[in-house]
Amino acid sequence: MPIPIFMYHQVDTPAPRGSRFRALTVDPRDFRRQMTWLKRLGFTGLSMRDLLPYLRGEKTGKVAGITFDDGFRNVYVNAMPVLQEFGFTATNYFVSRQIDGSNEWDAPVGVPYAPCMSKAEMREWAALGHEVGSHTLDHVRLPTVAPSEARRQITDARHELEDMLGSAVDAFCYPYGGENGEVRQIVEEAGYTNATTVKRGHARPQDDMLLLPRMTVRRHDTWLHFVRKCLMG
């Protein structure tokens, strides 16, 4: 059965109309409604770590992946309590050099400031059963940098996050969806077991586990849009 993997960024009151990437901020009330629909449709929301046996065909069941890019604090504040209430787990991909920082990578294009989780918040996220994934050191476009820099961004981020957590970090997400054959190879050599992209679609067991597709959830998605993404891709 094809498996939807949902991609979120921020869960907060959207920035003022006209703000860059405003569509990637989902209102907390809408997030709760979406998790309610997921449960109502019979899905269990899972982190990539918990989803992997289903993706590999080792387990069967009605499951969906829940992922958050960038490690924003508003996910800790607004999304985590809802996940706990529904008994879901999720993966958050952290930019390791912005732990207790902000979305500095967005500033050059005018995206409003948003703080990222602190180390203590990230650890609590993990302690409650959610997964910490890697999103590089600095949120760079990997295909545009030298291979040596791509390797540093991918490999060192994993080591830094593991040092902060005291446990393995196996999930990776390509910033901006930027990947190619060489970048994918570096991700594999760095020891990650799975990686997600921004390619649209549901994941299947025959997919490359280091190039998994996802379904983006946007601010303006209605309940019907979300249900369609659950069932149809």
Side-chain angles (χ1 to χ4, degrees):
M1 179 178 175
I3 297 173
I5 302 173
F6 295 106
M7 173 175 60
Y8 290 90
H9 287 76
Q10 300 191 57
V11 179
D12 204 358
T13 302
R17 195 178 297 273
S19 300
R20 293 295 303 276
F21 300 140
R22 182 172 184 258
L24 295 181
T25 299
V26 173
D27 188 282
R29 294 168 296 181
D30 291 330
F31 181 75
R32 174 177 286 279
R33 290 188 194 104
Q34 289 158 5
M35 295 302 100
T36 300
W37 272 108
L38 203 59
K39 192 91 166 183
R40 188 177 294 168
L41 293 168
F43 286 91
T44 300
L46 298 177
S47 66
M48 296 306 298
R49 176 183 57 218
D50 296 337
L51 194 67
L52 215 51
Y54 297 90
L55 290 170
R56 290 171 172 162
E58 299 163 359
K59 284 186 178 182
T60 58
K62 200 169 184 180
V63 295
I66 302 175
T67 67
F68 299 90
D69 288 13
D70 306 327
F72 288 109
R73 180 167 289 148
N74 53 52
V75 171
Y76 172 88
V77 173
N78 296 321
M80 191 169 70
V82 178
L83 295 170
Q84 296 302 113
E85 178 183 334
F86 283 88
F88 293 166
T89 58
T91 297
N92 206 321
Y93 299 107
F94 289 81
V95 180
S96 67
R97 295 284 168 87
Q98 290 301 326
I99 303 296
D100 207 18
S102 68
N103 55 334
E104 287 188 3
W105 60 89
D106 282 334
V109 293
V111 177
Y113 168 90
C116 295
M117 288 190 213
S118 66
K119 185 190 297 186
E121 290 165 340
M122 182 182 69
R123 285 175 170 171
E124 184 178 357
W125 170 268
L128 289 173
H130 305 294
E131 183 180 22
V132 169
S134 170
H135 208 35
T136 70
L137 297 172
D138 302 299
H139 203 289
V140 299
R141 295 182 186 272
L142 292 166
T144 70
V145 299
S148 59
E149 175 61 12
R151 187 174 300 278
R152 186 181 76 90
Q153 289 283 336
I154 293 164
T155 304
D156 289 6
R158 185 183 191 209
H159 294 159
E160 289 186 1
L161 291 168
E162 288 179 336
D163 287 345
M164 291 183 223
L165 281 176
S167 58
V169 172
D170 296 321
F172 184 79
C173 177
Y174 302 92
Y176 308 103
E179 44 82 11
N180 56 29
E182 186 172 33
V183 169
R184 183 220 170 273
Q185 183 64 29
I186 295 171
V187 170
E188 182 174 13
E189 291 170 358
Y192 296 99
T193 61
N194 63 93
T196 51
T197 68
V198 297
K199 293 176 182 175
R200 290 192 301 173
H202 284 192
R204 304 167 188 270
Q206 63 266 32
D207 286 345
D208 186 336
M209 291 296 118
L210 296 179
L211 293 171
L212 292 167
R214 292 186 292 174
M215 304 300 298
T216 303
V217 184
R218 294 182 172 85
R219 180 191 65 81
H220 53 265
D221 283 353
T222 66
W223 69 269
L224 186 56
H225 286 135
F226 185 77
V227 169
R228 284 175 175 167
K229 287 176 180 181
C230 289
L231 300 178
M232 299 166 55

